[in-house]
Amino acid sequence: DGGITQSPKYLFRKEGQNVTLSCEQNLNHDAMYWYRQDPGQGLRLIYYSQIVNDFQKGDIAEGYSVSREKKESFPLTVTSAQKNPTAFYLCASSKRTSGEQYFGPGTRLTVT
Amino acid sequence: EDKVVQSPLSLVVHEGDTVTLNCSYEVTNFRSLLWYKQEKKAPTFLFMLTSSGIEKKSGRLSSILDKKELFSILNITATQTGDSAVYLCAVEATSGTYKYIFGTGTRLKVLA
């Protein structure tokens, strides 16, 4: 079955540690996206990538980094520079020129 | 600055009621408007609208776009408890690359 997966589902980290969230898709989509969702808020774009080896900052990129070495994979690193990292993180993918995005199940990150 | 505004923020209705959710937008280089339903984790796609005045329907759900007045509505008739969810509106914009701007969502609760 084609789809988009994220792991882990829940992640707990101590303040000051970097953490990497995984996102993999087998939909053969060119574009991939990372969003952050906080309670009562919509999805805010962190980073997006239209093709392999290229990515752009979204609206809230500070404290985050990404890589896009393979078409299928778009991992997100939450660095210690991110001031409020506790949130629900969603990964999505889409065809490069199509509107519909497919979302992964999300990773809930808690930093204490 | 691109923005998408949804109203109301939350809504409580009884089964059988009809609801209308609103989404207004101000973006440069509009490409499409999308509606998603988010129950617990990953948003699931409902509709993509690109042309004004053409209603899209899927069962009890329908949606229409007005590109002159810059808004869209999502209608749900004969609501059921299973319709309880957060409904997200997103606008796809292009400025060299494609990106999506999400509203904060409307939280709908349908009571039995």
Side-chain angles (χ1 to χ4, degrees):
Chain A
D1 283 333
I4 181 165
T5 58
Q6 290 183 244
S7 61
K9 207 174 191 179
Y10 299 96
L11 191 52
F12 297 88
R13 278 293 182 271
K14 295 283 186 191
E15 214 173 281
Q17 293 179 332
N18 290 357
V19 60
T20 297
L21 281 57
S22 164
C23 177
E24 305 274 333
Q25 54 97 1
N26 61 4
L27 299 165
N28 199 33
H29 286 166
D30 287 302
M32 296 186 76
Y33 310 80
W34 274 106
Y35 295 93
R36 169 182 172 138
Q37 188 174 34
D38 294 284
Q41 296 200 34
L43 277 60
R44 292 186 290 166
L45 182 64
I46 305 173
Y47 268 99
Y48 61 110
S49 167
Q50 297 289 322
I51 54 173
V52 174
N53 292 323
D54 186 52
F55 47 82
Q56 286 80 39
K57 290 182 180 180
D59 301 316
I60 54 165
E62 188 176 344
Y64 299 98
S65 66
V66 293
S67 62
R68 187 85 188 277
E69 295 174 6
K70 297 188 299 181
K71 189 175 185 178
E72 302 78 25
S73 178
F74 191 41
L76 173 75
T77 296
V78 184
T79 75
S80 55
Q82 169 48 233
K83 290 184 174 37
N84 296 297
T86 294
F88 184 56
Y89 291 87
L90 281 163
C91 179
S93 70
S94 71
K95 291 180 188 174
R96 195 169 172 192
T97 56
S98 170
E100 180 184 349
Q101 288 181 305
Y102 292 78
F103 285 84
T107 292
R108 189 167 296 282
L109 172 65
T110 302
V111 175
T112 55
Chain B
E1 184 188 336
D2 295 334
K3 67 178 178 181
V4 176
V5 178
Q6 291 185 247
S7 64
L9 289 181
S10 65
L11 194 53
V12 180
V13 300
H14 288 92
E15 269 192 320
D17 288 349
T18 293
V19 298
T20 298
L21 310 183
N22 303 290
C23 176
S24 63
Y25 62 91
E26 289 178 34
V27 302
T28 50
N29 300 316
F30 173 92
R31 180 177 169 85
S32 67
L33 185 144
L34 303 102
W35 285 96
Y36 292 88
K37 178 182 182 182
Q38 185 178 24
E39 291 180 81
K40 287 202 171 107
K41 299 280 171 71
T44 52
F45 173 76
L46 294 174
F47 298 111
M48 183 170 81
L49 304 154
T50 55
S51 302
S52 269
I54 299 174
E55 186 183 49
K56 294 232 174 164
K57 289 196 76 164
S58 176
R60 296 175 293 103
L61 278 67
S62 64
S63 184
I64 197 160
L65 174 68
D66 186 327
K67 288 169 78 172
K68 185 180 173 191
E69 299 298 329
L70 308 183
F71 77 92
S72 172
I73 59 171
L74 175 68
N75 277 322
I76 308 174
T77 59
T79 51
Q80 302 171 357
T81 54
D83 295 327
S84 296
V86 175
Y87 290 84
L88 296 167
C89 172
V91 172
E92 184 188 9
T94 63
S95 52
T97 57
Y98 301 101
K99 70 172 196 176
Y100 301 82
I101 304 104
F102 280 81
T104 54
T106 292
R107 182 174 296 277
L108 173 66
K109 188 172 177 68
V110 181
L111 303 175

